[in-house]
Amino acid sequence: MKHCNDFTVLENETVNSSFFKLRLKSEQPLCEIKAGQFVELKVQEPNSVLLRRPISIHDIDKSNNEMVLLIQKAGKGTNILSTLKKGERVNMIYPLGNGFECKGKSVLLVGGGVGTAPLLFLAKQFAQINIKPKVLLGFRSKDQLMDTTEFAKYAEVFISTQDGSVGEQGLVTENSVFARSFDAVYTCGPTPMMKAVAKSCEERNIDCFVSLENKMACGIGACLCCVQQTTSGHRCTCTEGPVFQSKEIVW
C-alpha cells in the first residue's frame, strides 16, 4: 500500500560535493519497506519544480519511524532539496516499485555513485537473516568516496576507484573480489556499470539482480517515461521495477 505523508527533517548531512543525506521522521508508523524501493519527494519551493523527485531509500529505522535518503545534486529539484533544514517538513509518496528479494547465502552487492543508495538497506536486510554480504563500491576518485562506516556494520566492504586513490584501481568488474564465486549479485549504478556486471555474472552462471535508474516522473506508471525494454516486452520501471533479474533486460 502506498502512503502520502509529511516527514520532518532531523538532519541534512553533506556527504561530499555531489551528495547529501536526509534523515527524516514520520509521525505515522512506517509500513513494511523493502530494499530497492523508492519514494517520490515533493520539492516545496513554489512555482519552481512541478514534478516530484524519485529517490532510492538508503536506510530505515522502523522502531523510530525514520528514513534516510542518499541524494545526488543533479539538477534544480535536488539542489533545492539539499537546502532543507532541521525541523522543516517534506512530503513524500512511498514505498514505490518492487524491491530486492534476499536470495543466496554467498552474495555480492555492487554499487556505483548514487547507485550505492539502496544497497545499505539491502545489506542490513541480509544481516537480519544472518548473512554477511560482501559490498563492492566504485567511485571515480577519493573525492567522490562516501563514508562506508554504516556498510561495515553489516557487510565486508571493498572499494574500487578509477584513479586508484582508494582501494583497488579500475572498474568494479576488475576488482579482485568480483572474480570470486557467489550465489547471487545485486547491483545498482550507472547503466554501463550494471551492464558489465550483468554480462560477467551471466557468463559465470551467477544470478544477477539490477536496480534500474530510469527517469521516473510519476512513480505510479501513468506517464510511461520510465518504460524499459525487456525479454517479455516493454515494462514500467517505476511499477514493475526498478529491480529486475538481469537476464530480463534488453540493454
Side-chain angles (χ1 to χ4, degrees):
M1 179 181 294
K2 299 177 182 65
H3 300 263
C4 183
N5 293 339
D6 285 343
F7 282 66
T8 301
V9 178
L10 297 181
E11 183 181 22
N12 184 345
E13 175 190 350
T14 298
V15 175
N16 55 40
S17 61
S18 300
F19 294 87
F20 63 100
K21 282 195 295 189
L22 291 178
R23 180 175 293 276
L24 307 167
K25 186 176 182 66
S26 172
E27 295 179 1
Q28 306 297 323
L30 292 179
C31 62
E32 290 300 320
I33 297 172
K34 284 186 176 182
Q37 291 186 297
F38 67 99
V39 306
E40 286 278 357
L41 205 58
K42 185 176 181 180
V43 181
Q44 302 284 34
E45 189 171 308
N47 305 318
S48 176
V49 179
L50 176 63
L51 299 173
R52 291 173 180 260
R53 291 299 183 262
I55 307 294
S56 293
I57 295 168
H58 188 49
D59 197 10
I60 293 290
D61 180 352
K62 203 166 186 294
S63 62
N64 290 309
N65 299 321
E66 293 179 11
M67 180 184 297
V68 180
L69 305 177
L70 174 64
I71 306 174
Q72 182 177 18
K73 291 185 280 187
K76 190 172 186 178
T78 49
N79 274 288
I80 291 171
L81 292 171
S82 73
T83 66
L84 285 169
K85 296 178 175 59
K86 182 178 179 180
E88 292 187 320
R89 294 171 71 78
V90 62
N91 183 268
M92 69 170 73
I93 301 171
Y94 74 100
L96 297 170
N98 66 3
F100 290 109
E101 299 291 340
C102 293
K103 297 181 179 180
K105 294 183 178 180
S106 173
V107 297
L108 175 67
L109 319 185
V110 184
V114 75
T116 62
L119 300 186
L120 175 62
F121 191 30
L122 180 59
K124 179 186 285 190
Q125 291 191 330
F126 269 112
Q128 288 171 348
I129 57 173
N130 298 316
I131 293 173
K132 186 175 183 178
K134 290 178 171 55
V135 172
L136 171 58
L137 304 177
F139 306 96
R140 289 193 182 94
S141 69
K142 66 179 180 181
D143 295 333
Q144 292 294 309
L145 189 68
M146 300 177 193
D147 186 6
T148 60
T149 303
E150 289 299 312
F151 277 99
K153 292 179 181 179
Y154 313 109
E156 188 176 359
V157 181
F158 301 82
I159 301 292
S160 282
T161 51
Q162 292 181 20
D163 65 359
S165 53
V166 180
E168 295 186 23
Q169 182 172 9
L171 304 175
V172 290
T173 49
E174 297 169 331
N175 192 289
S176 57
V177 73
F178 188 77
R180 301 182 193 178
S181 180
F182 296 96
D183 297 330
V185 172
Y186 300 78
T187 185
C188 185
T191 297
M193 185 205 80
M194 289 194 292
K195 185 176 180 180
V197 169
K199 181 181 178 183
S200 177
C201 288
E202 289 165 21
E203 289 172 349
R204 294 184 287 158
N205 199 30
I206 297 173
D207 284 337
C208 180
F209 301 91
V210 299
S211 180
L212 301 184
E213 295 190 316
N214 298 22
K215 291 183 179 179
M216 295 178 281
C218 72
I220 57 174
C223 68
L224 303 180
C225 73
C226 68
V227 167
Q228 172 68 43
Q229 186 177 359
T230 72
T231 54
S232 56
H234 289 88
R235 299 165 69 183
C236 277
T237 301
C238 68
T239 54
E240 298 177 83
V243 177
F244 295 93
Q245 190 161 29
S246 65
K247 292 178 181 179
E248 299 179 86
I249 303 299
V250 178
W251 298 99

